[in-house]
Amino acid sequence: MDNIIESKVSQWLDGQFDADTVAAVKKLQQENPDELADAFYRSLEFGTGGLRGIMGVGTNRMNKYTVGMATQGFANYLKQAFTGEIKLAIAHDSRNNSRYFAEVAANVLAANGIKVFLFESLRPTPELSFTIRHLGGQGGIVLTASHNPKEYNGYKAYWNDGAQLVPPHDKNVIREVEKIASIDEVKWSGGEANITLIGKEVDEAYLQMLKGLSIQPDVIKEQHDLKIVYTPIHGTGITLVPEILKRYGFTNVHVVEEQSTPDGNFPTVVYPNPEESEAMSIGLKKAKELDAAILLGTDPDSDRVGIAVKDLKGEWVLLNGNQTAVLLFNYIIEGRRQKGLAGSTDYVCKTVVTSDLIDVFAAQNNVKCYNVLTGFKWIADLIREKEGKEQFICGGEESYGYMIGDNVRDKDAIASVALICEMAAYAASQGRSLYEQLIDIYVKYGYYKENLISITKKGMKGAEEIAEMMRGYRENPPTTINGSKVVTLYDYELQQVKSLNTGEVKPINLPKSNVLQFVLEDGSKISARPSGTEPKIKFYFSVNQPLENAAGFDAATKALDQKVENIIKDMKLK
């Protein structure tokens, strides 16, 4: 073990740490020196999204002390940024230690003279975003590690608009957190009178807001007995999803009992992630047994939702995030127009790696579609920029996150579940399934099909290999991919888009991000985006072709799948 690690371990053994922590460090010393080294070889990094890591003792773990130090840094910056009374809301999910970490954060903020509104028990992340704005607060914190395995927990910081931190606040908070060199600099207690417990009254305000998002409540009255199966996958969705469906008017909702109890051990799944078929398998079984119309599943903090429906053969299929986004955006845009709710300044927003089909039908419905970098904080940043000038309708990204209306400034699975079920009710009122509705959209606007692969390169060498891949693509972009000419190169790191036909270069008015996109002559698009937190690079593929009628759907699907495979092969990604 090197000297730096040994020095950190000694600080924890000799410092003002509680007896249980000291005992746990000593046990690792004696029984598992490799794990001890991993727990102390670095400090858990407070990134632009906050903290996320494995729970346990050590500087590289989520524990009372890393949470407390991060909160002290956040408190210091809040006091620099705001004068007068500062109010913060805190929520947490069902993960092990989430409540404890929420109370630690509340105590540190309160000891710093900050007024804290702490939820009495677990609540969805989107409700935390809503609460900041509802209470006129200056920020918020939610304790969650989203869909990570059970060993993890995390800490996300929010600003006064209910959104996660963006420049300059993200970097400024990181700087303040990094200045906290010792637990002795943390104010751990002494301001308990500054903490107020909140719960039902905020739930009620949030639910009323969600009810107001309904576009066609009359359709639900007609289709109120639509058979819905819902699983919270042991998370926070159980607190509000059944209630909002009830308030929307749905009377035939079936909760997956095996996954209905909040449990940080997630006993029925490997990953509590609605993107994974394994996590949705128990719900699928119930949906088949009941011959339901739709299955929905939310992740532990209820900001993302996955759905399953029956295909044209009556077989249950999980829709991917792009397909759900296409259905939801289209329903909201067309529904608002049909109901006379559409306005001349309406706009939608998606990330640059989300289906371009949304751009197509938005344009044909005279609705602006803006594209931003990956992450809902950038959608929220655009809302802030357009506030008072243009009307935000909905936003989304391919990774199962959607936002309806601007009262919540983060992805919101509670709102999404409600609108997706309303959308299913509308389809049923037209004698259609959601799957048929999706094919109808393809026939009308073009069949866009997306795929994603992740390539992991391990260790320091892996990170260098990924950097070299991006450098090669940037400096020597391919002239053709799968026999189709590359016509446009989007470089979000250089903040420019270049026509490879004419050499013309135009600026991209977005923050810098290490993302490249190749647009081909045949309309295909390939995006390359390295992970910022692990040695992994993601490639997003989008291919399209016209679809004359529903009868040609299977053949078109086969052709587009083959095109993606050919692109992957030509780029030597497999």
Side-chain angles (χ1 to χ4, degrees), residues 359-375:
D359 300 79
V360 173
F361 64 66
Q364 291 196 31
N365 282 277
N366 297 314
V367 173
K368 287 183 185 175
C369 180
Y370 293 99
N371 284 264
V372 297
L373 298 177
T374 300

Side-chain angles (χ1 to χ4, degrees), residues 22 29 54 56 67 148 152 190 192 244 260 266 275 324 362 364 367 382-383 430 450 483 495 511 528 541 552:
V22 172
Q29 262 186 328
I54 294 170
V67 167
N148 276 60
Y152 284 77
E192 289 75 14
I244 192 58
S260 64
F266 308 114
E275 289 185 70
T324 303
Q364 291 196 31
V367 173
L382 183 76
I383 295 172
Q430 303 296 304
E450 292 80 25
Q495 297 172 297
F541 308 95

Side-chain angles (χ1 to χ4, degrees), residues 115 164 248 335 341 410 486 542 560:
K115 182 76 174 166
Q164 290 187 56
Y248 262 57
L341 301 172
D410 206 347
V486 179
S542 176
L560 292 175

Side-chain angles (χ1 to χ4, degrees), residues 383-391:
I383 295 172
R384 189 188 306 111
E385 180 193 327
K386 302 289 180 186
E387 214 146 21
K389 294 174 280 187
E390 297 178 33
Q391 182 61 50

Side-chain angles (χ1 to χ4, degrees), residues 18 21 56 61-69 100-101 104 108 188:
D18 64 78
T21 296
R61 296 286 187 264
M62 280 287 293
N63 54 61
K64 169 186 175 180
Y65 299 103
T66 52
V67 167
M69 292 168 75
Y100 174 63
F101 293 151
V104 167
V108 171
W188 293 102

